[in-house]
Structures are given as structure tokens and as C-alpha cells.
Amino acid sequence: MKRLPDARGHFGRFGGRYVPETLMAPLLELEKAYARARRDRRFQARLRGLLHDYAGRPTPLYFAARLTEHAGGARIYLKREDLCHTGAHKVNNVLGQALLAERMGKKRVIAETGAGQHGVATATAAALLGQECEVYMGTEDMERQELNVFRMKLLGARVRPVETGSRTLKDAVNEAFRDWATNVRTTYYLLGSALGPHPYPMMVRDFHLVIGREARRQALATIGRLPDAVVACVGGGSNAIGLFHPFIDDTRTRIVGVEPGGHGITTGRHGASMTAGAPGVLHGSMSYVLQSDDGQITTAHSISAGLDYPGVGPEHAYYRDAGRFEFVSVTDEEALEGFQALARLEGIMPALESAHAIAHAVRLAKQLPRSKTIVVGLSGRGDKDVQVVAKALSS
């Protein structure tokens, strides 16, 4: 398939730059700076060094034998992004963008966060590079991710509570964009998912490609061939596009994104933009979004703060319409079952985001013969979610 996005940041009809005039100049500056950094061997070597020595890459491809036995079908392998420094895949993108901010001479870094993992990773990189850091976070998410709020503060970041709207990730992104528009000369907006205006979807994808490239090599070495399916949770879609993209041309490998089904699609209380959304503009790009009949963005719901977002990255939308990516949904209840199954059978507590992917992988494995293999992107660890899980299981 042709390389995307195009010169204007479009993935087919999706993507683009739908932003106020005040943000056009900084976005063009960022695009040019990233293009130069991609060609700079010293920049790329420094990033590779940090990914290896600081973040702990490569992460293992682990055969989940007992989970496979439980499912009774295809063999399930886990791409262990939960073993990265800070506990999630987020550090891959953050290290790349923080180095880019340093290269651009931006001393202040801002970010948005839902589950808190992007905020923690951003605060970590800022501490490493001596940058001032502020993180916007909805107060709803601050309540359910109290541990990560404290971690960010310990790392020297200022956490800015967001009280507007649904008080979740969407609203944190809004506030971060407002801040950036006001402080573009000194500030770098380190966006955490593969969404937003160009060049962010492309940059975040590129910094996460290490996930899928490693998984592809590891599958060939460990399994002896490519997997029959790769599965990952999708909110904004950063861990998923990083895992999926290197497999796009391998048409015998199914690519399955797992969205948050919340209380069920028919209830309207979910975050499944691909399953139940329609094309629209959110946070500077065209993609599938949850919206009312008159085009107003509606509130998403998920037990997982990191998937609680009413849109999805534009590249996912493009490959959905092209028929290359499949999308399914998993409810809160099913995600809790996936969380418990992995904890009890493998001794691994997944993030609630990843638990959605685990739940579907078990469901898919039951439908496939033992000769087939599934690789699941385990995007993060579940320490941050223990209180949420405890509350949900006791209710």
C-alpha cells in the first residue's frame, strides 16, 4: 500500500489540519522540525539508545500457555509493552517527542492524559531532559487514577485539573490545545495518541512502530511464521497503530482493533467510535467520532480511562474503510473478566485498556484451531487500575 499520510496530512478522506489560524504556524513548524529529525542520524541514534537503555526495549513476545489452555483454541502470545519503563507503551512516543522539543528549543512541555500513563511518561521524559512539564487531566480521571496523579507530581510535573465537559480525556485535550495556542513560542505540546491535526498522527505512529517491528521479527523467530491475527485495544489508537502498521502488507494476518463497549452499544454508554460513530471532525482531524444527529460530539464511556474518548486516530479510520482493519467492541464486564483471567492464569495484571484486547483474544482463540496464533498488544500494566477493579468487582 502507498505511504500515508499525503503531503497535507490526509489518510484518504481522513486526517488533515482543522485548526484555528493561530495553530497553523506552530503545526507547520513542527512538521518541518520532525522531517529534519527523521533524516538526522544522530537524533535517531540517540532515540534508539534511550529506547534500549532507558525504556528497556526490546520488550518480550511471551507465550501465554495457561491463557491459551483456558481459551482452548489458537495460541496466544503477548507483546509485553507493560514491561517498558513507566509501565506502558507511552514511553516510546514520549521519548521521541521530548527529544524533538529539546531540538526545537522548547523549554516547556505540556500534555494531556486520561489513564495517566501518558502523563507519567511525559513527566518522566521531562525530568530526564530537564524540561518544565504541565499535564492536563480531567477531574473524573484524576479521581480514578489517583496513583498516577501522585506519580506525575513526584516526577516534578504540575497536574492541571480540568473541570469542563465530561471531565475526561476529550476535555483534557481541549485545554492542552488552548494552552499551546497561547504559549507557542516557549511550549511544545506532546500529544499522546495517534490523533489530532497533522503531523501528530504520523509522528505518534512512527515513534510506536518499534512495537510492531519487534513483534514481527519475534514472531518469525519464535513461531516460525507471522501470526494469524494481531489484536490491540483502540481508544485514540497509539499502541494499536504501532503494532498494526508493520503487518499491513501481510494480508494473511488479520488486524483486529478492540474498542470500549462500555455498558453495551445499544445503551449509548460506550466509546466505540468505529462501531457506532460517523465521520466528523474532533481535535483537528477528520475521523470516526461519536456524535449526535446534529453533529455535536457526545460523551464516551469506558471503565478504562485511557479508552474513554469519543474519537479515534484517522489512520485507523482509513484502514477500517479500506477493509484492512477489523473493529469489535468489548464491554466493561468482559474487560473485567479479561483482567481477572490474565492475572489468575499468567500472574500478569493488565491495564484495563489492555484487558479489552485480552478479552477479545480469548473470544477469538476459541473460534480458531490450535494451529493458529494470535499476538496481543499488552499496552500497559494494571497497577493503576487496581482500585477501579476492586470497586467494580465489589458492586
Side-chain angles (χ1 to χ4, degrees), residues 60-80 82 222-223 338 341-350 357-359 361-362 365 370 372-378:
L61 184 66
Y62 168 72
F63 175 50
R66 296 195 68 222
L67 187 68
T68 295
E69 183 181 357
H70 166 74
R75 291 169 290 161
I76 301 173
Y77 289 79
L78 309 178
K79 181 56 176 162
R80 297 289 307 275
D82 60 308
T222 303
I223 304 168
L342 194 63
R344 293 174 179 176
L345 293 170
E346 298 289 348
I348 300 171
M349 269 189 265
I358 293 294
V362 170
R370 294 180 185 274
K372 302 294 185 180
T373 59
I374 301 169
V375 168
V376 183
L378 196 69

Side-chain angles (χ1 to χ4, degrees), residues 93-103 125-126 129 131 188 190:
N93 167 56
V94 162
L95 286 173
Q97 287 203 57
L99 288 176
L100 186 58
E102 180 184 70
R103 179 187 175 96
L129 299 178
Q131 297 163 330
Y188 182 99
L190 206 162

Side-chain angles (χ1 to χ4, degrees), residues 83 94 129 181 185 244 247 267 293 333 340 350 352 355 358 360 380-382:
L83 295 179
V94 162
L129 299 178
R185 291 182 63 188
F244 293 169
F247 291 95
T267 69
D293 291 340
E333 184 177 354
Q340 293 177 88
L352 277 171
I358 293 294
H360 180 69
R381 66 180 186 230

Side-chain angles (χ1 to χ4, degrees), residues 137-334:
M137 189 173 192
T139 52
E140 171 74 16
D141 291 337
M142 290 180 71
E143 290 170 12
R144 55 182 171 177
Q145 297 295 334
E146 187 177 354
L147 173 62
N148 274 344
V149 172
F150 188 54
R151 291 172 73 194
M152 285 182 265
K153 291 177 178 178
L154 285 174
L155 289 159
R158 180 181 179 188
V159 181
R160 301 287 297 269
V162 177
E163 293 278 6
T164 56
S166 59
R167 302 182 297 126
T168 56
L169 181 58
K170 171 179 69 71
D171 312 290
V173 175
N174 289 340
E175 292 303 317
F177 270 118
R178 289 190 186 102
D179 184 321
W180 192 36
T182 306
N183 301 289
V184 291
R185 291 182 63 188
T186 60
T187 298
Y188 182 99
Y189 178 17
L190 206 162
L191 206 157
S193 198
L195 48 83
H198 182 66
Y200 281 110
M202 174 181 68
M203 285 186 357
V204 175
R205 175 200 69 194
D206 289 352
F207 287 134
H208 281 306
L209 286 179
V210 63
I211 304 171
R213 286 170 176 166
E214 285 179 9
R216 200 175 184 281
R217 289 195 301 268
Q218 289 165 330
L220 290 171
T222 303
I223 304 168
R225 58 185 178 83
L226 295 178
D228 296 284
V230 291
V231 177
C233 63
V234 176
S238 61
N239 90 95
I241 200 64
L243 175 63
F244 293 169
H245 199 272
F247 291 95
I248 286 173
D249 292 334
D250 304 309
T251 54
R252 292 186 180 181
T253 298
R254 289 174 63 183
I255 297 176
V256 186
V258 185
E259 295 192 292
H263 294 303
I265 301 300
T266 57
T267 69
R269 297 204 65 209
H270 59 81
S273 304
M274 290 298 198
T275 305
V281 174
L282 176 62
H283 293 141
S285 72
M286 172 79 75
S287 188
Y288 279 91
V289 298
L290 299 179
Q291 55 189 313
S292 63
D293 291 340
D294 58 359
Q296 297 299 307
I297 302 299
T298 57
T299 301
H301 165 78
S302 174
I303 192 172
S304 161
L307 302 183
D308 201 347
Y309 182 75
V312 67
E315 190 161 10
H316 286 288
Y318 172 81
Y319 284 112
R320 172 207 187 267
D321 280 10
R324 185 65 187 98
F325 291 4
E326 308 169 35
F327 288 89
V328 298
S329 65
V330 160
T331 65
D332 290 350
E333 184 177 354
E334 291 168 330

